[in-house]
């Protein structure tokens, strides 16, 4: 994995575009570090809040000189937030050993060939599943599925079924190209 | 894992919603997706795994390589 710390100075100076560039590379690893909390917490909510907090404290962060200092810092923020949330909700604790193990989570960046294959497969989707997928992508987390369904004149369950079909078809298309995408 | 298989269509729809990046906006507190509370532990884990897979696809389809999670975070700080 490439070291994203070269972006820290710009992020600390308030450059949101630099933060976006950092997020593109760092998000999978921070999300992966929260896997052990998935049964007890809404990881998506914890992750988004942790990344916002990272942005807020980045100007005061001092890298330790080792690779991926900012990602490691983000993971610690996310893990601390998750542990606080577990305490608040009185869910079962996570063993300290797990905390250290998850700091070592590594996620390879998607390569250009994979990107192109996904785009090609997306372009082959039938109209309705494509419409549902595009609506989710365009909203980028800003609107709930009720709103998105209404925006494309579908009932909620129809919208969700079309979205499910879209990702299943994407996975099947990629599978034919020898690319395995886990779709639980 | 057989214990994470969906039990019915309604559960699948809940998982699909929770796996999305939308979360209600709030100040100084975590806001869970409302559907998350209706899932059992296996469903919550499945939603997490589904979200991981979806974010990879989303980032690949985005011109800047950003997932919907990244876009949601950037919208909060801009």
């Amino acid at each position: 994995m490439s070291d994203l710390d070269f972006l820290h100075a710009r992020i600390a100076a308030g450059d949101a575009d630099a933060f976006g560039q950092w997020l593109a590379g760092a998000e999978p690893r921070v999300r992966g570090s929260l896997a052990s909390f998935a049964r007890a917490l809404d990881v998506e909510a914890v992750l988004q809040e942790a990344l916002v907090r990272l942005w807020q404290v980045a100007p005061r962060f001092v890298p330790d000189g080792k690779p991926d200092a900012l990602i490691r810092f983000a993971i610690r923020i996310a893990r601390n937030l998750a542990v606080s949330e577990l305490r608040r909700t009185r869910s079962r604790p996570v063993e300290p050993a797990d905390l250290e193990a998850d700091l070592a989570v590594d996620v390879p960046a998607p390569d250009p060939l994979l990107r192109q294959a996904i785009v090609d497969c997306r372009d082959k989707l039938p109209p309705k599943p494509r419409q549902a997928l595009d609506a989710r992508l365009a909203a980028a987390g800003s609107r709930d599925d009720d709103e998105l369904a209404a925006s494309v004149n579908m009932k909620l369950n129809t919208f969700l079924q079309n979205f499910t079909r879209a990702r299943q078809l994407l996975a099947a298309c990629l599978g034919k190209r020898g690319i395995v995408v886990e779709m639980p | 894992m057989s214990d994470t298989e969906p039990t019915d269509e309604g559960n699948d729809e809940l998982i699909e919603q929770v796996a999305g990046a939308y979360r209600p906006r709030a100040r100084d507190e975590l806001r869970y997706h409302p559907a998350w509370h209706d899932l059992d532990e296996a469903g919550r884990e499945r939603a997490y795994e589904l979200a991981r897979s979806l974010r990879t696809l989303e980032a690949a389809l985005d011109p800047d390589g950003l997932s919907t999670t990244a876009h949601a975070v950037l919208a909060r700080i801009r």
Side-chain angles (χ1 to χ4, degrees):
Chain A
M1 167 174 280
S2 62
D3 191 340
L4 298 169
D5 284 345
F6 73 96
L7 293 164
H8 175 242
R10 286 169 58 198
I11 294 169
D15 184 340
D17 290 336
F19 190 51
Q21 197 177 337
W22 182 86
L23 285 172
E27 180 203 324
R29 192 170 169 193
V30 183
R31 184 187 300 276
S33 77
L34 296 171
S36 61
F37 294 94
R39 287 179 170 241
L41 302 174
D42 182 353
V43 168
E44 181 69 32
V46 172
L47 175 65
Q48 290 187 21
E49 179 62 26
L51 294 171
V52 168
R53 292 185 185 187
L54 173 70
W55 166 258
Q56 292 167 339
V57 302
R60 299 192 298 277
F61 172 65
V62 179
D64 60 8
K66 298 175 184 174
D68 288 324
L70 199 54
I71 288 181
R72 286 184 284 109
F73 185 47
I75 288 173
R76 289 201 180 278
I77 290 174
R79 299 298 307 248
N80 288 341
L81 180 59
V83 170
S84 296
E85 184 67 3
L86 282 179
R87 289 180 180 140
R88 189 185 70 79
T89 59
R90 296 177 184 174
S91 301
R92 65 175 180 271
V94 174
E95 293 300 320
D98 292 339
L99 298 174
E100 292 308 314
D102 282 353
L103 286 174
V105 168
D106 199 4
V107 179
D111 65 63
L113 289 177
L114 173 60
R115 284 180 180 276
Q116 189 56 53
I118 293 172
V119 170
D120 290 346
C121 288
R122 188 268 311 268
D123 291 344
K124 292 178 180 173
L125 289 175
K128 291 293 185 184
R130 170 75 187 259
Q131 198 174 15
L133 177 67
D134 286 351
R136 268 269 188 101
L137 293 173
S142 66
R143 302 166 74 188
D144 68 19
D145 288 321
D146 283 307
E147 281 186 73
L148 295 180
S151 74
V152 293
N153 297 313
M154 293 181 196
K155 293 180 179 177
L156 176 61
N157 66 334
T158 305
F159 175 83
L160 293 170
Q161 287 162 9
N162 274 304
F163 186 82
T164 301
R165 183 111 176 97
R167 63 175 178 75
Q168 289 174 337
L169 288 169
L170 273 177
C173 176
L174 291 167
K176 288 178 183 173
R177 295 168 179 237
I179 301 167
V180 178
V181 177
E182 296 287 339
M183 281 290 175
Chain B
M1 290 189 292
S2 59
D3 66 337
T4 61
E5 291 297 313
T7 55
D8 54 38
E9 191 174 281
N11 203 44
D12 280 355
E13 291 175 6
L14 291 174
I15 289 169
E16 203 71 81
Q17 291 180 76
V18 173
Y22 169 77
R23 292 296 180 275
R25 298 291 284 269
R27 290 179 67 87
D28 302 326
E29 65 176 299
L30 291 178
R31 290 294 298 269
Y32 285 30
H33 193 294
W36 186 88
H37 300 285
D38 295 327
L39 289 173
D40 60 14
E41 287 192 350
R44 292 167 181 176
E45 186 166 47
R46 187 160 170 252
Y48 167 81
E49 295 296 344
L50 179 56
R52 285 182 79 160
S53 298
L54 285 173
R55 298 302 175 273
T56 301
L57 294 177
E58 293 164 3
L61 292 169
D62 185 82
D64 296 318
L66 298 175
S67 73
T68 53
T69 294
H71 278 295
V73 169
L74 291 172
R76 286 179 61 181
I77 67 167
R78 281 181 164 140

